[in-house]
Structure formats: C-alpha cells, structure tokens
Amino acid sequence: MKFSHCVILFIVSLFFSHQVPTFAQSVNSLLFREDFKDIPAETPVTQEHLANRELSLHLYGAAKQQLKKSNHPEIQNDPFYIWSGTCEGNWAMALSWQDKSVDLSHGGKIRWKSRQSGFRQLRLVLELADGSWIVSEDHVGETTDWVISEFELGKMKWRTLNMDTIIEGKTAGDPDLSKVLKIGISDLMVGGGTPASSRLDWIEVYGK
C-alpha cells in the first residue's frame, strides 16, 4: 500500500508540475506588437501607418491631428516612429486589439522602445471595462538615445485621466486590469519640437 500510494502521489505531482508552466506561459504571452510601417513621414498618424492589421488606432486630445508618424531617411537606421514635437496641445494615442478586451491583471506587462527629450515623460494610458481611463505614475524621462523600457502593471500606481483635456486626476487606487479595452501612451504635455518631445518606435503588450 505504501508503494502504491507513493506512485500515485508521484504521478499527481508530475501532472501539476506540468500545468504550472503552461498557466504562467498563458498569462505572460505576447498578445500583440506594433512597429510602424516603413512609409514616408506624415501628419497626422493614421490607421494606415499601423503594421499590425489586428489593431485599431485611437487618437485623443486637442492636438490629436498633430501627432506625427516620423522618419528621417538621411539618418542611417532611423526608425519609423510616433513623434509629439509638433503637438500644440495635449495628446494621447491608444491601440485596441480585434475589438477584444485583454487581461493584464496577473503578470501583464508592457514593453516599448522610446526616446525622450526635455521634460517630456512618456506614460502608459489604459481604458478600462467601464470606459474610464487611467494613466501611470511610472514613466520614461529624458534619454540620450533610444531605450527599451518594461512596465509590470501589477506593481504600478495609477491616476485617473480626463480624455478630453488629457490631464491627470486623483489617484486611482487598485484599478481592475482584467478587461482592458485600449492601451496607449501620452506625456500629458504639448510638444516643443526636437528639444522637447516624445518618440515611440514600437510597443509590445503581454497578458491573456
């Protein structure tokens, strides 16, 4: 009996040991990535500039028509990126995936490649299931070159976000990230040309 009992326990332990990695992989899988098309610079950025056909583009704020898809052919290896330098008001850009919500509540994370100048601090913005928006207190500040940043959503603090003015509000406490409708960026500021602007090369979203 003791030998049979040990065999059963061993089989059960093997079953669950194989299940845990599968669950973790599901939580942290790459849902989508957006690199912007290698086509000439244009203002404003439009749906046509998205490389991923499963995504939809959404623009907000007084300067939403001034957000630029930029590139400099004369600069070697210059990426095709989103640029806020020409924005004369606050702005925000967001992406939605196949008209679905995504679960970023357990192990969800965002990665992006950006370059910041001046006082511009690029932040993550999310639309929640109830239609409200939040903006991250975490951000990427001034950089001397392009950098890759990673945000673990479960460890972040948030504030409410007014999408008409693109201005932050009170702290958001512990928002429900289990059904996120849109995922985007903003620096909550006007653009100031090359010396004072935000740049986004690509963005990746991990969740389930």
Side-chain angles (χ1 to χ4, degrees):
M1 290 297 291
K2 290 184 178 179
F3 177 79
S4 299
H5 184 67
C6 290
V7 170
I8 293 172
L9 287 177
F10 177 73
I11 293 173
V12 170
S13 66
L14 281 178
F15 174 80
F16 282 105
S17 67
H18 284 288
Q19 294 304 304
V20 172
T22 302
F23 175 73
Q25 184 179 7
S26 174
V27 170
N28 295 298
S29 62
L30 175 63
L31 298 181
F32 66 81
R33 173 184 169 108
E34 176 55 42
D35 291 284
F36 299 93
K37 286 183 181 177
D38 296 356
I39 55 180
E42 186 178 6
T43 304
V45 60
T46 67
Q47 181 70 31
E48 175 62 24
H49 296 121
L50 298 188
N52 189 332
R53 295 183 179 181
E54 295 181 343
L55 300 178
S56 297
L57 177 73
H58 309 272
L59 300 176
Y60 305 90
K64 64 182 181 181
Q65 295 301 313
Q66 297 169 338
L67 193 63
K68 183 177 182 179
K69 204 296 290 286
S70 189
N71 172 255
H72 302 86
E74 70 279 8
I75 299 177
Q76 187 176 10
N77 298 321
D78 190 55
F80 292 79
Y81 60 95
I82 302 303
W83 186 56
S84 71
T86 52
C87 291
E88 297 176 350
N90 287 10
W91 61 275
M93 183 194 79
L95 301 171
S96 58
W97 182 49
Q98 299 179 333
D99 296 324
K100 299 177 181 178
S101 64
V102 296
D103 185 352
L104 303 178
S105 60
H106 295 94
K109 66 179 181 179
I110 308 291
R111 299 177 74 245
W112 69 44
K113 186 176 182 181
S114 63
R115 184 173 183 175
Q116 299 299 108
S117 57
F119 295 149
R120 301 305 176 275
Q121 299 175 339
L122 196 60
R123 301 173 187 271
L124 179 65
V125 301
L126 303 176
E127 183 183 12
L128 305 181
D130 62 0
S132 63
W133 286 80
I134 54 176
V135 58
S136 64
E137 293 190 6
D138 294 58
H139 61 269
V140 179
E142 186 172 24
T143 61
T144 57
D145 204 341
W146 293 95
V147 297
I148 296 176
S149 305
E150 182 172 305
F151 301 90
E152 296 184 42
L153 276 65
K155 299 179 180 180
M156 296 169 65
K157 295 182 179 180
W158 305 87
R159 288 182 173 269
T160 60
L161 181 63
N162 184 315
M163 291 305 286
D164 293 324
T165 59
I166 317 298
I167 294 176
E168 77 277 13
K170 62 183 180 180
T171 56
D174 187 20
D176 181 4
L177 303 181
S178 63
K179 293 182 179 180
V180 175
L181 302 177
K182 297 186 183 75
I183 300 163
I185 59 168
S186 180
D187 58 20
L188 311 181
M189 297 181 72
V190 303
T194 299
S197 57
S198 295
R199 303 167 182 83
L200 178 72
D201 180 7
W202 53 259
I203 183 171
E204 294 177 341
V205 176
Y206 294 79
K208 63 175 181 178

